[in-house]
Amino acid sequence: MLIDTYGRVATDLRVSLTDRCNLRCTYCMPEEGLQWLAKPDLLTDDEIVRLIGIAVTDLGVTEVRFTGGEPLLRPGLVGIVERCAALAPRPKMSLTTNGIGLKRTATALKAAGLDRVNVSLDTLRPDVFKTLTRRDRHHDVIDGMAAARDAGLTPVKVNAVLMPGLNDDEAPDLLAWAVENEYEMRFIEQMPLDAQHGWKRDGMITAGDILESLRTRFTLTAEGEDERGSAPAERWIVDGGPHRVGVIASVTRPFCRACDRTRLTADGQVRTCLFAREESDLRGALRSGAPDEEIARLWKLAMWGKKAGSGLDDPSFLQPDRPMSAIGG
């Protein structure tokens, strides 16, 4: 079991499969991209499956989320999913993606055992999408989401970050569109995980701002803490149901006390929190021939040292050196 000194138990594993991405979102990385991890530094498919196997069979993990970078850029993705679906007990498996490659992969991923997807889409306007991502791929994301829904990778959850002066007026339109297409909309506060370290607390679009905007068109009824459990999103019932909308307020309404996540980077480092400045190396142990029991012990030790909170509310907070694309969302 992955337990920390505050009694929290990690049962949700986020696995970054690559730090590479085919978009250049302004809140994540510079236009020229980043210096990507060298291939020898990345975990191999076998190493990823072995670590997930240890987490599921020895450490009590019940849910696995594949992330990036953009995980659809990982050549062995379908095989990794298929092998993890064969684990006993079988974990629930999901994928966070920008959606560009979903149209061609959704059916294969479903057949391999993937349960559902989260797709990032910040705007319904192709011109704004191009400004935000520096790529003209809006139609590919829309098509990919439809393919995921039709393949049965449901519920398809749509993640949007609202940015001042760009898409901050789109929350009601995005929710209406999601309801119409049977997607579940989730709005995420912009977090201090950009490679440029340009994030500023002042002026960011907060959960309060988002809810105020949504209530200009919809009646929202809080779902309640009992329903939320350890989920990062607070959810509201839209116009009496059955549709829901979620808001992930990592900055203004942190949910650290209920956190049940552990994170594995594409180069085999354990992270106890998105905002942690420390990591614990499992890749080195893997490649030096350590048995599963030793890997599990190192993972437990890393999680035992998890801090009480993210530190975002501390005036001395410093962003992690590694950006979101390297950490995995």
Side-chain angles (χ1 to χ4, degrees):
M1 189 164 61
L2 293 171
I3 190 170
D4 65 32
T5 55
Y6 299 93
R8 296 169 297 192
V9 178
T11 57
D12 185 336
L13 170 61
R14 307 294 171 97
V15 182
S16 174
L17 298 179
T18 178
D19 60 331
R20 295 174 183 265
C21 189
N22 42 10
L23 296 180
R24 297 291 181 269
C25 296
T26 56
Y27 53 77
C28 186
M29 67 175 72
E31 185 170 5
E32 64 273 15
L34 300 170
Q35 183 173 349
W36 309 121
L37 291 167
K39 187 172 182 179
D41 294 335
L42 294 171
L43 293 175
T44 65
D45 293 0
D46 287 345
E47 288 170 337
I48 289 170
V49 173
R50 182 182 171 195
L51 287 174
I52 293 174
I54 292 169
V56 169
T57 60
D58 298 337
L59 296 173
V61 164
T62 58
E63 297 187 36
V64 177
R65 172 85 61 86
F66 298 106
T67 70
E70 173 45 52
L72 294 182
L73 295 179
R74 178 89 187 200
L77 172 60
V78 172
I80 290 171
V81 171
E82 187 172 31
R83 292 168 68 185
C84 291
L87 293 171
R90 181 197 187 281
K92 295 179 182 178
M93 291 185 293
S94 58
L95 177 86
T96 295
T97 171
N98 62 30
I100 288 175
L102 266 180
K103 185 176 180 179
R104 60 177 173 77
T105 56
T107 300
L109 287 168
K110 179 64 178 179
L114 193 70
D115 295 304
R116 64 169 191 83
V117 294
N118 285 29
V119 183
S120 298
L121 180 69
D122 302 320
T123 178
L124 297 176
R125 305 167 185 162
D127 59 324
V128 176
F129 182 92
K130 188 174 181 180
T131 298
L132 276 168
T133 68
R134 305 185 179 102
R135 297 291 187 271
D136 189 12
R137 305 296 298 273
H138 188 262
H139 64 287
D140 292 315
V141 180
I142 299 295
D143 291 348
M145 292 169 64
R149 179 194 59 206
D150 295 345
L153 293 170
T154 55
V156 175
K157 296 183 180 180
V158 184
N159 296 337
V161 176
L162 300 182
M163 301 291 290
L166 285 172
N167 62 339
D168 52 350
D169 61 338
E170 285 199 66
D173 290 340
L174 280 162
L175 178 54
W177 172 81
V179 167
E180 180 183 352
N181 287 279
E182 299 295 325
Y183 303 139
E184 183 174 323
M185 195 70 221
R186 287 140 58 96
F187 295 96
I188 305 175
E189 289 182 337
Q190 184 195 3
M191 293 179 284
L193 291 170
D194 59 306
Q196 313 91 292
H197 286 208
W199 177 86
K200 291 182 175 59
R201 189 183 302 268
D202 295 340
M204 64 170 284
I205 308 301
T206 68
D209 298 330
I210 294 164
L211 292 169
E212 182 180 357
S213 178
L214 292 174
R215 286 182 171 126
T216 64
R217 195 182 305 180
F218 302 95
T219 299
L220 303 181
T221 306
E223 192 175 57
E225 289 299 316
D226 290 341
E227 291 288 338
R228 181 183 184 185
S230 60
E234 293 182 76
R235 297 205 308 174
W236 282 263
I237 301 167
V238 180
D239 290 343
H243 298 285
R244 284 8 184 208
V245 62
V247 178
I248 299 177
S250 300
V251 178
T252 63
R253 303 183 187 183
F255 39 87
C256 302
R257 284 184 296 178
C259 181
D260 66 349
R261 284 167 290 289
T262 182
R263 300 176 183 276
L264 187 64
T265 67
D267 55 350
Q269 310 300 305
V270 171
R271 293 183 63 87
T272 60
C273 173
L274 264 178
F275 305 103
R277 295 183 62 81
E278 307 85 21
E279 297 177 338
S280 300
D281 180 29
L282 295 186
R283 184 189 64 196
L286 277 175
R287 294 182 179 178
S288 66
D292 289 358
E293 294 79 11
E294 175 63 9
I295 302 294
R297 186 190 71 81
L298 292 171
W299 207 329
K300 288 179 184 179
L301 185 63
M303 294 306 295
W304 184 251
K306 183 171 181 172
K307 294 180 179 178
S310 64
L312 276 170
D313 54 352
D314 189 327
S316 63
F317 172 79
L318 294 174
Q319 289 187 220
D321 293 330
R322 303 182 82 181
M324 174 72 83
S325 60
I327 295 170

